[in-house]
Amino acid sequence: MKKIYLKKTVFLLFLFSLISLSIHAQTSGNSGTGANIDVKKHTIYWRINPDSTKYIRGTVTTKFVTKAASVSTITFDLNKSSFNNTGLVVKYHGTTITKSFPTSGNVNILRINLPTPLALNVTDSVTISYRGVPPTPSGQALGFQKSISGGNNYIYTLSESYEDRNWWPCKADMQDKIDELDITVSTPTIFKVATQGKLHSSTVIGGNTKYLYKHRYPIASYLVSLCVAKFQEFVRTPAVISGTNVPIIYQLFPRTSYTSILNALDFNKPEMELFSNKFGDYPFKNEKYGVYEFGFGGGMEHQTNSGFGSSALTSWSTIAHELAHQWFGDAVTCKTWNSLWLNEGFATYLEILAAEQIPSLGVSALSHRSSIKTTARACTVPVYISNVSSSNTIWTSANNNAIYYRGAMIISMLRTLSGDTKFYEATRNYIADPTLSYQAADTNNLKSHFETSLGGANLTNFFTSWVNGVGTPSYGLEWNAVGSNIVIKLNQTRTTNSTVTYFDMPVVVKVKDITGTLEQTITVYDSGGNLSLAGTGTIGTPTGTNKITVALPFVPNSVQFDPENVTMATGTVTFNSSLVSRMPNESEISINEKPLSAIVSPNPSQTEFVLKVSSLNQTSPIEMTVVNELGTIVKQKEISPNDDNSFGNELPTGVYFIHLSQGEHQFSTKIIKN
């Protein structure tokens, strides 16, 4: 969800030590309904007339499989105050059966008594018919709403986080997604219907039209949505995803001109293609991606069909954000609302990715990321939400800043730490994981995939610090250079409100030569003051100190701290001529240790050198550059990873540095000509 307007609330900050990375509850809702059944399908009929009162009449048949032996009672979430009347009827095999609501505690639990207990793994169904006026929640909760636009009435829903029960009977649990939906909506013919999946049929009966939509992907109950309005419909050029044409459809309120809205919304196509390329195919490619207009002030990622407030229809960031949620939030949903940052952090970061990768958007990725970083550094609560008892305790302004902006910067730091190849590998594997895909995940699941992609790295302290912690780090960076070696010393300090003793994180340093034409970005992983090289798919051997030496293909002359604002830290840079300079060991001089390395012998040499290259990529050529101590290039050629290369007879006596580059992989080392 993209929150545009928020009410200020007070958030109680729980102690960091009492918060764990994940919650071990059996369900993701707060009611625990349906614990003994697995919901397979809802067949739904709704009657909606926006020109009448705020009213719904519906019939929901739920197909389920029992998860326990001797199931005699099943439960669903449903608002008691609105629907516990003579219109509420439950049928089992065509026969009306008894039902009840609690009289105290959580009263919004519909309890259904089956006439005969069911054994384990039995497939069965119940049908619930109901009618009434859904409640009008307060604060951040919306649920089922009636509104007006341009003199036209319309009905819309927004159920995140607990308001699905306010307008339809369901099992509100992200850990038991509904496998499939058939949704029939009857409404006066002047109205059209926006909901999940593909429109299967529309049948005119008198002055009414029945719309039948079918959705054949697992879906969380809060992502089921409905909007009935006098829509103008626009079918746009489909996106082609792995050979499949994905329909892109907009349903918008009547207005005199749609030009600016269509121009903005049509970025959905290149963004869908971009996100599919990076994270795997659009998860619902066999159905559609729709955008419809509704009464919320921002956007909501209803599965296959995102709702947009009128003012958000031309917001480039909201458009990218809600589409991104189809991967992060819909295809893989947070297991509990405590881990909502997984939905919102990724969707916010993909706004940055869209700005970075689609120049025609005309947006500066650096500017957007810098703004996000500024807000993230001002957060006063963790991204892990402790109090998830209601929508009003979840969607506070403090929580939103954390889950959206601090969450996005966590993703940015994971990309920085991993490098692009491993970042996209980890996130694609996370989305495609058969235990998570079209199901639900928590922070530990994401952590596991990044640790695996980084060759078994231990990221426990990183995730604990950033997901559960409060506060931000800053660095004092000192540096010195001898020849082409740069010595970097880092001293981390933390804000006074920090609950973290030390933030494990990547630190980015950009180094340039005296002319400013040669530059290199160094990513250092700081784990408790132990520094190691990172950023290209591995985390190197830690130095055991807060100092690291790196060899460069030029003489360093200037240093910048995180100029692209890809991490959560700020820093000051100081030249310190007293820093001890030494020849870096092999683990330090190799910007990428394993994919590309080399041995030079003899070294030192009075005549020529023999360069033996080791590369995991045996087909792509390698660019070899030799520079002197002043950073001047004295030799440059393309070599093969399969050949031994002799060179150096022509070199004068002196110290040189060899730099090898193969794609994103690099290697540097020092040689001496006697």
Side-chain angles (χ1 to χ4, degrees), residues 26 56 73 129 132 134 143 153 157 164 256 265 288 309 392 394 433 454 458 523 590 626 637:
Q26 294 299 311
I56 187 170
T73 303
S129 298
N153 294 315
T157 66
D164 37 15
T256 56
L265 289 178
K288 73 179 181 197
N392 288 328
I394 294 171
D433 185 333
L454 288 171
N458 186 343
T523 300
S590 173
V626 181
K637 64 180 291 190

PDB file of all heavy atoms in Angstrom, residues 26 56 73 129 132 134 143 153 157 164 256 265 288 309 392 394 433 454 458 523 590 626 637:
ATOM      1  N   GLN A  26       0.487 -19.255  15.139  1.00  0.00           N
ATOM      2  CA  GLN A  26      -0.052 -20.223  14.190  1.00  0.00           C
ATOM      3  C   GLN A  26      -0.742 -19.537  13.019  1.00  0.00           C
ATOM      4  O   GLN A  26      -0.858 -20.102  11.952  1.00  0.00           O
ATOM      5  CB  GLN A  26      -1.045 -21.146  14.916  1.00  0.00           C
ATOM      6  CG  GLN A  26      -0.380 -22.036  15.959  1.00  0.00           C
ATOM      7  CD  GLN A  26       0.655 -22.950  15.344  1.00  0.00           C
ATOM      8  OE1 GLN A  26       0.395 -23.620  14.351  1.00  0.00           O
ATOM      9  NE2 GLN A  26       1.845 -22.972  15.911  1.00  0.00           N
ATOM     10  N   ILE A  56     -24.583  -4.394   1.399  1.00  0.00           N
ATOM     11  CA  ILE A  56     -24.099  -5.545   0.644  1.00  0.00           C
ATOM     12  C   ILE A  56     -24.976  -6.747   0.950  1.00  0.00           C
ATOM     13  O   ILE A  56     -25.407  -6.951   2.087  1.00  0.00           O
ATOM     14  CB  ILE A  56     -22.624  -5.857   0.972  1.00  0.00           C
ATOM     15  CG1 ILE A  56     -22.079  -6.952   0.038  1.00  0.00           C
ATOM     16  CG2 ILE A  56     -22.427  -6.233   2.436  1.00  0.00           C
ATOM     17  CD1 ILE A  56     -20.578  -7.155   0.128  1.00  0.00           C
ATOM     18  N   THR A  73     -16.568 -28.205  14.447  1.00  0.00           N
ATOM     19  CA  THR A  73     -16.835 -26.767  14.409  1.00  0.00           C
ATOM     20  C   THR A  73     -15.777 -26.082  13.558  1.00  0.00           C
ATOM     21  O   THR A  73     -14.586 -26.390  13.669  1.00  0.00           O
ATOM     22  CB  THR A  73     -16.801 -26.161  15.821  1.00  0.00           C
ATOM     23  OG1 THR A  73     -17.749 -26.828  16.643  1.00  0.00           O
ATOM     24  CG2 THR A  73     -17.125 -24.679  15.775  1.00  0.00           C
ATOM     25  N   SER A 129     -24.821 -17.141   3.677  1.00  0.00           N
ATOM     26  CA  SER A 129     -25.561 -16.039   3.064  1.00  0.00           C
ATOM     27  C   SER A 129     -25.734 -14.942   4.104  1.00  0.00           C
ATOM     28  O   SER A 129     -26.032 -15.229   5.275  1.00  0.00           O
ATOM     29  CB  SER A 129     -26.925 -16.515   2.567  1.00  0.00           C
ATOM     30  OG  SER A 129     -26.784 -17.508   1.559  1.00  0.00           O
ATOM     31  N   GLY A 132     -26.442  -6.771   4.938  1.00  0.00           N
ATOM     32  CA  GLY A 132     -26.399  -5.733   5.942  1.00  0.00           C
ATOM     33  C   GLY A 132     -25.557  -4.550   5.514  1.00  0.00           C
ATOM     34  O   GLY A 132     -25.081  -4.469   4.375  1.00  0.00           O
ATOM     35  N   PRO A 134     -22.164  -2.727   6.149  1.00  0.00           N
ATOM     36  CA  PRO A 134     -20.845  -2.859   6.782  1.00  0.00           C
ATOM     37  C   PRO A 134     -20.534  -1.644   7.636  1.00  0.00           C
ATOM     38  O   PRO A 134     -20.977  -0.523   7.350  1.00  0.00           O
ATOM     39  CB  PRO A 134     -19.889  -2.973   5.586  1.00  0.00           C
ATOM     40  CG  PRO A 134     -20.743  -3.494   4.473  1.00  0.00           C
ATOM     41  CD  PRO A 134     -22.088  -2.867   4.688  1.00  0.00           C
ATOM     42  N   GLY A 143     -12.149  -0.741   5.024  1.00  0.00           N
ATOM     43  CA  GLY A 143     -13.137  -1.796   4.819  1.00  0.00           C
ATOM     44  C   GLY A 143     -14.014  -1.525   3.617  1.00  0.00           C
ATOM     45  O   GLY A 143     -13.535  -1.370   2.497  1.00  0.00           O
ATOM     46  N   ASN A 153     -22.170   8.024  -7.577  1.00  0.00           N
ATOM     47  CA  ASN A 153     -21.928   7.162  -6.428  1.00  0.00           C
ATOM     48  C   ASN A 153     -21.073   5.967  -6.820  1.00  0.00           C
ATOM     49  O   ASN A 153     -21.145   5.485  -7.961  1.00  0.00           O
ATOM     50  CB  ASN A 153     -23.254   6.656  -5.857  1.00  0.00           C
ATOM     51  CG  ASN A 153     -24.099   7.767  -5.270  1.00  0.00           C
ATOM     52  OD1 ASN A 153     -23.599   8.609  -4.548  1.00  0.00           O
ATOM     53  ND2 ASN A 153     -25.393   7.780  -5.607  1.00  0.00           N
ATOM     54  N   THR A 157     -13.775  -1.162  -1.664  1.00  0.00           N
ATOM     55  CA  THR A 157     -13.272  -1.806  -0.451  1.00  0.00           C
ATOM     56  C   THR A 157     -11.765  -1.627  -0.356  1.00  0.00           C
ATOM     57  O   THR A 157     -11.070  -1.489  -1.370  1.00  0.00           O
ATOM     58  CB  THR A 157     -13.584  -3.317  -0.430  1.00  0.00           C
ATOM     59  OG1 THR A 157     -12.846  -3.975  -1.479  1.00  0.00           O
ATOM     60  CG2 THR A 157     -15.064  -3.573  -0.603  1.00  0.00           C
ATOM     61  N   ASP A 164     -11.262  -7.086   6.101  1.00  0.00           N
ATOM     62  CA  ASP A 164     -11.962  -8.025   5.229  1.00  0.00           C
ATOM     63  C   ASP A 164     -13.213  -8.558   5.918  1.00  0.00           C
ATOM     64  O   ASP A 164     -14.270  -8.700   5.310  1.00  0.00           O
ATOM     65  CB  ASP A 164     -11.046  -9.173   4.779  1.00  0.00           C
ATOM     66  CG  ASP A 164     -10.085  -9.637   5.857  1.00  0.00           C
ATOM     67  OD1 ASP A 164     -10.280  -9.292   7.050  1.00  0.00           O
ATOM     68  OD2 ASP A 164      -9.124 -10.341   5.513  1.00  0.00           O
ATOM     69  N   THR A 256     -13.234  14.712 -18.224  1.00  0.00           N
ATOM     70  CA  THR A 256     -13.188  15.283 -19.576  1.00  0.00           C
ATOM     71  C   THR A 256     -11.949  14.862 -20.345  1.00  0.00           C
ATOM     72  O   THR A 256     -11.972  14.761 -21.577  1.00  0.00           O
ATOM     73  CB  THR A 256     -13.238  16.821 -19.506  1.00  0.00           C
ATOM     74  OG1 THR A 256     -12.167  17.283 -18.671  1.00  0.00           O
ATOM     75  CG2 THR A 256     -14.570  17.282 -18.923  1.00  0.00           C
ATOM     76  N   LEU A 265       0.132   6.136 -16.406  1.00  0.00           N
ATOM     77  CA  LEU A 265      -0.149   4.724 -16.128  1.00  0.00           C
ATOM     78  C   LEU A 265       0.519   3.790 -17.130  1.00  0.00           C
ATOM     79  O   LEU A 265       0.814   2.633 -16.800  1.00  0.00           O
ATOM     80  CB  LEU A 265      -1.659   4.475 -16.123  1.00  0.00           C
ATOM     81  CG  LEU A 265      -2.458   5.054 -14.955  1.00  0.00           C
ATOM     82  CD1 LEU A 265      -3.946   4.753 -15.129  1.00  0.00           C
ATOM     83  CD2 LEU A 265      -1.966   4.496 -13.625  1.00  0.00           C
ATOM     84  N   LYS A 288      -4.080 -10.825 -15.744  1.00  0.00           N
ATOM     85  CA  LYS A 288      -4.050  -9.410 -16.149  1.00  0.00           C
ATOM     86  C   LYS A 288      -3.250  -8.616 -15.132  1.00  0.00           C
ATOM     87  O   LYS A 288      -2.884  -9.133 -14.071  1.00  0.00           O
ATOM     88  CB  LYS A 288      -5.471  -8.836 -16.204  1.00  0.00           C
ATOM     89  CG  LYS A 288      -6.065  -8.609 -14.804  1.00  0.00           C
ATOM     90  CD  LYS A 288      -7.457  -8.019 -14.812  1.00  0.00           C
ATOM     91  CE  LYS A 288      -7.947  -7.810 -13.368  1.00  0.00           C
ATOM     92  NZ  LYS A 288      -9.369  -7.617 -13.269  1.00  0.00           N
ATOM     93  N   GLY A 309      -6.175   6.142  -5.709  1.00  0.00           N
ATOM     94  CA  GLY A 309      -6.908   7.376  -5.507  1.00  0.00           C
ATOM     95  C   GLY A 309      -6.700   8.315  -6.674  1.00  0.00           C
ATOM     96  O   GLY A 309      -5.703   8.224  -7.406  1.00  0.00           O
ATOM     97  N   ASN A 392      -5.143   0.461  13.213  1.00  0.00           N
ATOM     98  CA  ASN A 392      -4.705   1.748  13.754  1.00  0.00           C
ATOM     99  C   ASN A 392      -3.397   1.650  14.515  1.00  0.00           C
ATOM    100  O   ASN A 392      -2.686   2.649  14.654  1.00  0.00           O
ATOM    101  CB  ASN A 392      -5.795   2.336  14.647  1.00  0.00           C
ATOM    102  CG  ASN A 392      -6.981   2.828  13.845  1.00  0.00           C
ATOM    103  OD1 ASN A 392      -6.829   3.281  12.716  1.00  0.00           O
ATOM    104  ND2 ASN A 392      -8.171   2.716  14.410  1.00  0.00           N
ATOM    105  N   ILE A 394      -1.066  -0.567  13.482  1.00  0.00           N
ATOM    106  CA  ILE A 394      -0.113  -0.914  12.423  1.00  0.00           C
ATOM    107  C   ILE A 394       0.246   0.317  11.592  1.00  0.00           C
ATOM    108  O   ILE A 394       1.421   0.638  11.399  1.00  0.00           O
ATOM    109  CB  ILE A 394      -0.694  -2.018  11.513  1.00  0.00           C
ATOM    110  CG1 ILE A 394      -0.853  -3.322  12.287  1.00  0.00           C
ATOM    111  CG2 ILE A 394       0.195  -2.224  10.279  1.00  0.00           C
ATOM    112  CD1 ILE A 394      -1.606  -4.399  11.528  1.00  0.00           C
ATOM    113  N   ASP A 433      10.974 -19.551  -4.461  1.00  0.00           N
ATOM    114  CA  ASP A 433      11.071 -20.626  -3.466  1.00  0.00           C
ATOM    115  C   ASP A 433       9.727 -21.337  -3.344  1.00  0.00           C
ATOM    116  O   ASP A 433       8.709 -20.707  -3.027  1.00  0.00           O
ATOM    117  CB  ASP A 433      11.470 -20.010  -2.114  1.00  0.00           C
ATOM    118  CG  ASP A 433      11.723 -21.051  -1.035  1.00  0.00           C
ATOM    119  OD1 ASP A 433      11.140 -22.155  -1.096  1.00  0.00           O
ATOM    120  OD2 ASP A 433      12.508 -20.762  -0.110  1.00  0.00           O
ATOM    121  N   LEU A 454      25.273 -15.627  -0.993  1.00  0.00           N
ATOM    122  CA  LEU A 454      26.594 -15.108  -0.656  1.00  0.00           C
ATOM    123  C   LEU A 454      27.522 -16.197  -0.133  1.00  0.00           C
ATOM    124  O   LEU A 454      28.476 -15.920   0.601  1.00  0.00           O
ATOM    125  CB  LEU A 454      26.466 -13.985   0.369  1.00  0.00           C
ATOM    126  CG  LEU A 454      25.876 -12.673  -0.174  1.00  0.00           C
ATOM    127  CD1 LEU A 454      25.580 -11.707   0.949  1.00  0.00           C
ATOM    128  CD2 LEU A 454      26.802 -12.037  -1.195  1.00  0.00           C
ATOM    129  N   ASN A 458      27.133 -15.264   7.116  1.00  0.00           N
ATOM    130  CA  ASN A 458      26.281 -15.115   8.297  1.00  0.00           C
ATOM    131  C   ASN A 458      25.826 -13.659   8.391  1.00  0.00           C
ATOM    132  O   ASN A 458      26.611 -12.770   8.706  1.00  0.00           O
ATOM    133  CB  ASN A 458      27.050 -15.517   9.555  1.00  0.00           C
ATOM    134  CG  ASN A 458      26.170 -15.508  10.792  1.00  0.00           C
ATOM    135  OD1 ASN A 458      25.089 -14.920  10.807  1.00  0.00           O
ATOM    136  ND2 ASN A 458      26.630 -16.163  11.841  1.00  0.00           N
ATOM    137  N   THR A 523      33.406  -1.369  -1.884  1.00  0.00           N
ATOM    138  CA  THR A 523      32.390  -1.721  -0.887  1.00  0.00           C
ATOM    139  C   THR A 523      33.048  -2.552   0.197  1.00  0.00           C
ATOM    140  O   THR A 523      33.624  -3.608  -0.079  1.00  0.00           O
ATOM    141  CB  THR A 523      31.229  -2.505  -1.513  1.00  0.00           C
ATOM    142  OG1 THR A 523      30.606  -1.709  -2.528  1.00  0.00           O
ATOM    143  CG2 THR A 523      30.190  -2.861  -0.456  1.00  0.00           C
ATOM    144  N   SER A 590      42.045  -8.411  -3.861  1.00  0.00           N
ATOM    145  CA  SER A 590      41.117  -8.931  -4.857  1.00  0.00           C
ATOM    146  C   SER A 590      39.737  -8.375  -4.612  1.00  0.00           C
ATOM    147  O   SER A 590      39.097  -8.702  -3.634  1.00  0.00           O
ATOM    148  CB  SER A 590      41.064 -10.462  -4.797  1.00  0.00           C
ATOM    149  OG  SER A 590      40.058 -10.933  -5.656  1.00  0.00           O
ATOM    150  N   VAL A 626      48.054  -2.220 -17.204  1.00  0.00           N
ATOM    151  CA  VAL A 626      49.224  -2.065 -16.340  1.00  0.00           C
ATOM    152  C   VAL A 626      49.451  -0.571 -16.156  1.00  0.00           C
ATOM    153  O   VAL A 626      49.522   0.191 -17.132  1.00  0.00           O
ATOM    154  CB  VAL A 626      50.479  -2.726 -16.948  1.00  0.00           C
ATOM    155  CG1 VAL A 626      51.667  -2.576 -16.004  1.00  0.00           C
ATOM    156  CG2 VAL A 626      50.220  -4.206 -17.250  1.00  0.00           C
ATOM    157  N   LYS A 637      45.850  -4.387 -22.946  1.00  0.00           N
ATOM    158  CA  LYS A 637      45.556  -5.359 -23.994  1.00  0.00           C
ATOM    159  C   LYS A 637      44.439  -6.288 -23.536  1.00  0.00           C
ATOM    160  O   LYS A 637      44.117  -6.376 -22.348  1.00  0.00           O
ATOM    161  CB  LYS A 637      46.806  -6.176 -24.341  1.00  0.00           C
ATOM    162  CG  LYS A 637      47.316  -7.049 -23.192  1.00  0.00           C
ATOM    163  CD  LYS A 637      48.561  -7.844 -23.576  1.00  0.00           C
ATOM    164  CE  LYS A 637      48.256  -8.927 -24.586  1.00  0.00           C
ATOM    165  NZ  LYS A 637      49.389  -9.852 -24.778  1.00  0.00           N
TER     166      LYS A 637
END
